[in-house]
Amino acid sequence: MGKCLIFCAADFDGLAEEIQKDDYILAADGGLVHVEGLGLTPHGILGDFDSLGYVPQGSAVFPVEKDDTDAMLAVRKGLEKGYKEFLLYGSLDGPRLDHTVANFQTLQYLCDHGAYGYLIGKDTVVTVVKNGTLRFPATAEGIVSVFCMGCAARGVTLEGLQYPLVGGTLTAGFPLGVSNHFIGQEAVISVTEGSLLVLFDRKNGLPVRG
Amino acid sequence: MGKCLIFCAADFDGLAEEIQKDDYILAADGGLVHVEGLGLTPHGILGDFDSLGYVPQGSAVFPVEKDDTDAMLAVRKGLEKGYKEFLLYGSLDGPRLDHTVANFQTLQYLCDHGAYGYLIGKDTVVTVVKNGTLRFPATAEGIVSVFCMGCAARGVTLEGLQYPLVGGTLTAGFPLGVSNHFIGQEAVISVTEGSLLVLFDRKNGLPVRG
């Protein structure tokens, strides 16, 4: 099964990943501009269209006064279709910091519903890993920051990084895992109980999950 | 007792609040540039000075390889001195999204240590409220977003906002409280168990806490 690609309104400097035939493409409100710019045909267009400013033909229109962000609407649609891996392009680097925070929590929503996702910005990728592992190849470079997401994250292990950790606990009340560094080894980030918010350079591509 | 004003490296388009005689001024690494630009004399200068690029006279130098961010070093110093209210200027809008997330958790650290703080950026202010209340005057305008910080936030009440809530629960797994709006009434945001991350427009000034 392919991936669910969700295009949001913020900039992301083009696609780095190849789109496969069985990928499912959704435009979230203003993200339709990116989809059209890339010459893609979306399988769905969702939103309240307050940022796009018009309602495109064949789109699923939701009221402005709703509990879901446009990104959440698209995530729900992808989960309904059974997708497990979500790439949210243009979900960082927007003018609204609160939308970025909402998208962090959307990553947690995916993990709480048996899936996972990546927020893809211009230079940065953000993901959440819950009771699991991320593996980065030895070619990974730059900074990787690891934060507790939600309740305390226990059994946190960081291997192959400048500042290793074995079975540690991270909480939302102290940013111990900020500004770690790849060091030319395979890097493993894992948590046995709880979730981690992980930020890294987009040029490293996406990690292997286990 | 005055406030602890911490100047970080990012831009914040000048001071909106008046500095009082009994305020305690700390420069965190590159934030010294702002302190000097404002013609202020800091009571302390802390950091590893990797971003400033030189070590200013009379500064407290910490190794680059440390568990604390420069903002955390300054927060610890202010807490040692007994300050309860912290304003962190230039702690948003920087090039590093992970530093912004680290600063969110620094706000939680303050609340977990009997204090509270505000991250002050160019247009946005971010705070954390733990088992408490924020009151905004009827003159407050624009968007206010409320997120769960850490474990589930219970007994969340939002009054005088476009989307009210009474005794609700917020979790890090669903951004229910994003993009709420002030509506020309006194607005009250409160939580009885847990913490909320609250983002609002800087032009509204700072809320009353209780």
Side-chain angles (χ1 to χ4, degrees), chain A residues 37-51:
Chain A
L38 290 163
L40 301 172
T41 306
H43 298 90
I45 309 169
L46 309 93
D48 52 34
F49 302 102
D50 60 348
S51 62

PDB file of all heavy atoms in Angstrom, chain A residues 37-51:
ATOM      1  N   GLY A  37       0.662  23.155  -8.810  1.00  0.00           N
ATOM      2  CA  GLY A  37       1.991  23.585  -9.247  1.00  0.00           C
ATOM      3  C   GLY A  37       2.899  22.424  -9.593  1.00  0.00           C
ATOM      4  O   GLY A  37       3.774  22.542 -10.453  1.00  0.00           O
ATOM      5  N   LEU A  38       2.681  21.286  -8.928  1.00  0.00           N
ATOM      6  CA  LEU A  38       3.481  20.082  -9.184  1.00  0.00           C
ATOM      7  C   LEU A  38       2.878  19.244 -10.306  1.00  0.00           C
ATOM      8  O   LEU A  38       3.408  18.188 -10.657  1.00  0.00           O
ATOM      9  CB  LEU A  38       3.583  19.242  -7.906  1.00  0.00           C
ATOM     10  CG  LEU A  38       4.430  19.841  -6.782  1.00  0.00           C
ATOM     11  CD1 LEU A  38       4.119  19.163  -5.447  1.00  0.00           C
ATOM     12  CD2 LEU A  38       5.907  19.728  -7.111  1.00  0.00           C
ATOM     13  N   GLY A  39       1.748  19.711 -10.856  1.00  0.00           N
ATOM     14  CA  GLY A  39       1.098  18.983 -11.950  1.00  0.00           C
ATOM     15  C   GLY A  39       0.463  17.683 -11.504  1.00  0.00           C
ATOM     16  O   GLY A  39       0.305  16.747 -12.293  1.00  0.00           O
ATOM     17  N   LEU A  40       0.085  17.615 -10.238  1.00  0.00           N
ATOM     18  CA  LEU A  40      -0.523  16.398  -9.705  1.00  0.00           C
ATOM     19  C   LEU A  40      -2.048  16.520  -9.719  1.00  0.00           C
ATOM     20  O   LEU A  40      -2.589  17.619  -9.663  1.00  0.00           O
ATOM     21  CB  LEU A  40      -0.064  16.166  -8.263  1.00  0.00           C
ATOM     22  CG  LEU A  40       1.446  16.014  -8.056  1.00  0.00           C
ATOM     23  CD1 LEU A  40       1.772  16.000  -6.570  1.00  0.00           C
ATOM     24  CD2 LEU A  40       1.944  14.737  -8.723  1.00  0.00           C
ATOM     25  N   THR A  41      -2.724  15.376  -9.789  1.00  0.00           N
ATOM     26  CA  THR A  41      -4.185  15.343  -9.671  1.00  0.00           C
ATOM     27  C   THR A  41      -4.533  14.772  -8.308  1.00  0.00           C
ATOM     28  O   THR A  41      -4.259  13.601  -8.035  1.00  0.00           O
ATOM     29  CB  THR A  41      -4.802  14.454 -10.773  1.00  0.00           C
ATOM     30  OG1 THR A  41      -4.334  14.915 -12.036  1.00  0.00           O
ATOM     31  CG2 THR A  41      -6.319  14.516 -10.715  1.00  0.00           C
ATOM     32  N   PRO A  42      -5.118  15.587  -7.436  1.00  0.00           N
ATOM     33  CA  PRO A  42      -5.412  15.090  -6.086  1.00  0.00           C
ATOM     34  C   PRO A  42      -6.571  14.103  -6.083  1.00  0.00           C
ATOM     35  O   PRO A  42      -7.492  14.226  -6.892  1.00  0.00           O
ATOM     36  CB  PRO A  42      -5.782  16.359  -5.319  1.00  0.00           C
ATOM     37  CG  PRO A  42      -6.305  17.294  -6.366  1.00  0.00           C
ATOM     38  CD  PRO A  42      -5.533  16.994  -7.613  1.00  0.00           C
ATOM     39  N   HIS A  43      -6.502  13.115  -5.188  1.00  0.00           N
ATOM     40  CA  HIS A  43      -7.632  12.195  -4.990  1.00  0.00           C
ATOM     41  C   HIS A  43      -8.704  12.840  -4.134  1.00  0.00           C
ATOM     42  O   HIS A  43      -9.849  12.366  -4.106  1.00  0.00           O
ATOM     43  CB  HIS A  43      -7.144  10.906  -4.340  1.00  0.00           C
ATOM     44  CG  HIS A  43      -6.160  10.151  -5.180  1.00  0.00           C
ATOM     45  ND1 HIS A  43      -4.795  10.366  -5.098  1.00  0.00           N
ATOM     46  CD2 HIS A  43      -6.341   9.231  -6.144  1.00  0.00           C
ATOM     47  CE1 HIS A  43      -4.183   9.570  -5.953  1.00  0.00           C
ATOM     48  NE2 HIS A  43      -5.092   8.878  -6.610  1.00  0.00           N
ATOM     49  N   GLY A  44      -8.343  13.884  -3.435  1.00  0.00           N
ATOM     50  CA  GLY A  44      -9.321  14.606  -2.628  1.00  0.00           C
ATOM     51  C   GLY A  44      -8.833  16.002  -2.313  1.00  0.00           C
ATOM     52  O   GLY A  44      -7.620  16.250  -2.251  1.00  0.00           O
ATOM     53  N   ILE A  45      -9.771  16.915  -2.169  1.00  0.00           N
ATOM     54  CA  ILE A  45      -9.481  18.291  -1.787  1.00  0.00           C
ATOM     55  C   ILE A  45     -10.385  18.607  -0.604  1.00  0.00           C
ATOM     56  O   ILE A  45     -11.607  18.497  -0.722  1.00  0.00           O
ATOM     57  CB  ILE A  45      -9.771  19.283  -2.936  1.00  0.00           C
ATOM     58  CG1 ILE A  45      -9.089  18.820  -4.232  1.00  0.00           C
ATOM     59  CG2 ILE A  45      -9.330  20.686  -2.570  1.00  0.00           C
ATOM     60  CD1 ILE A  45      -9.555  19.609  -5.458  1.00  0.00           C
ATOM     61  N   LEU A  46      -9.784  18.937   0.542  1.00  0.00           N
ATOM     62  CA  LEU A  46     -10.586  19.143   1.747  1.00  0.00           C
ATOM     63  C   LEU A  46     -10.258  20.482   2.385  1.00  0.00           C
ATOM     64  O   LEU A  46      -9.146  20.985   2.240  1.00  0.00           O
ATOM     65  CB  LEU A  46     -10.296  18.057   2.783  1.00  0.00           C
ATOM     66  CG  LEU A  46     -10.364  16.603   2.362  1.00  0.00           C
ATOM     67  CD1 LEU A  46      -8.991  16.106   1.937  1.00  0.00           C
ATOM     68  CD2 LEU A  46     -10.878  15.756   3.513  1.00  0.00           C
ATOM     69  N   GLY A  47     -11.215  21.013   3.099  1.00  0.00           N
ATOM     70  CA  GLY A  47     -10.938  22.215   3.877  1.00  0.00           C
ATOM     71  C   GLY A  47     -12.135  23.114   3.978  1.00  0.00           C
ATOM     72  O   GLY A  47     -13.221  22.806   3.468  1.00  0.00           O
ATOM     73  N   ASP A  48     -11.921  24.214   4.675  1.00  0.00           N
ATOM     74  CA  ASP A  48     -12.974  25.235   4.731  1.00  0.00           C
ATOM     75  C   ASP A  48     -12.741  26.284   3.643  1.00  0.00           C
ATOM     76  O   ASP A  48     -13.582  27.139   3.407  1.00  0.00           O
ATOM     77  CB  ASP A  48     -13.025  25.891   6.119  1.00  0.00           C
ATOM     78  CG  ASP A  48     -11.654  26.410   6.551  1.00  0.00           C
ATOM     79  OD1 ASP A  48     -10.865  26.855   5.690  1.00  0.00           O
ATOM     80  OD2 ASP A  48     -11.365  26.353   7.748  1.00  0.00           O
ATOM     81  N   PHE A  49     -11.547  26.206   3.016  1.00  0.00           N
ATOM     82  CA  PHE A  49     -11.177  27.080   1.893  1.00  0.00           C
ATOM     83  C   PHE A  49     -11.169  28.558   2.257  1.00  0.00           C
ATOM     84  O   PHE A  49     -11.341  29.412   1.409  1.00  0.00           O
ATOM     85  CB  PHE A  49     -12.057  26.777   0.667  1.00  0.00           C
ATOM     86  CG  PHE A  49     -11.931  25.341   0.248  1.00  0.00           C
ATOM     87  CD1 PHE A  49     -12.920  24.421   0.566  1.00  0.00           C
ATOM     88  CD2 PHE A  49     -10.777  24.890  -0.368  1.00  0.00           C
ATOM     89  CE1 PHE A  49     -12.762  23.073   0.242  1.00  0.00           C
ATOM     90  CE2 PHE A  49     -10.622  23.539  -0.682  1.00  0.00           C
ATOM     91  CZ  PHE A  49     -11.617  22.643  -0.382  1.00  0.00           C
ATOM     92  N   ASP A  50     -10.906  28.800   3.556  1.00  0.00           N
ATOM     93  CA  ASP A  50     -10.747  30.206   3.961  1.00  0.00           C
ATOM     94  C   ASP A  50      -9.401  30.742   3.474  1.00  0.00           C
ATOM     95  O   ASP A  50      -9.286  31.915   3.144  1.00  0.00           O
ATOM     96  CB  ASP A  50     -10.892  30.365   5.487  1.00  0.00           C
ATOM     97  CG  ASP A  50      -9.867  29.557   6.268  1.00  0.00           C
ATOM     98  OD1 ASP A  50      -9.184  28.691   5.669  1.00  0.00           O
ATOM     99  OD2 ASP A  50      -9.746  29.787   7.482  1.00  0.00           O
ATOM    100  N   SER A  51      -8.412  29.878   3.402  1.00  0.00           N
ATOM    101  CA  SER A  51      -7.113  30.383   2.930  1.00  0.00           C
ATOM    102  C   SER A  51      -7.000  30.339   1.408  1.00  0.00           C
ATOM    103  O   SER A  51      -6.365  31.194   0.809  1.00  0.00           O
ATOM    104  CB  SER A  51      -5.955  29.601   3.577  1.00  0.00           C
ATOM    105  OG  SER A  51      -5.996  28.254   3.223  1.00  0.00           O
TER     106      SER A  51
END
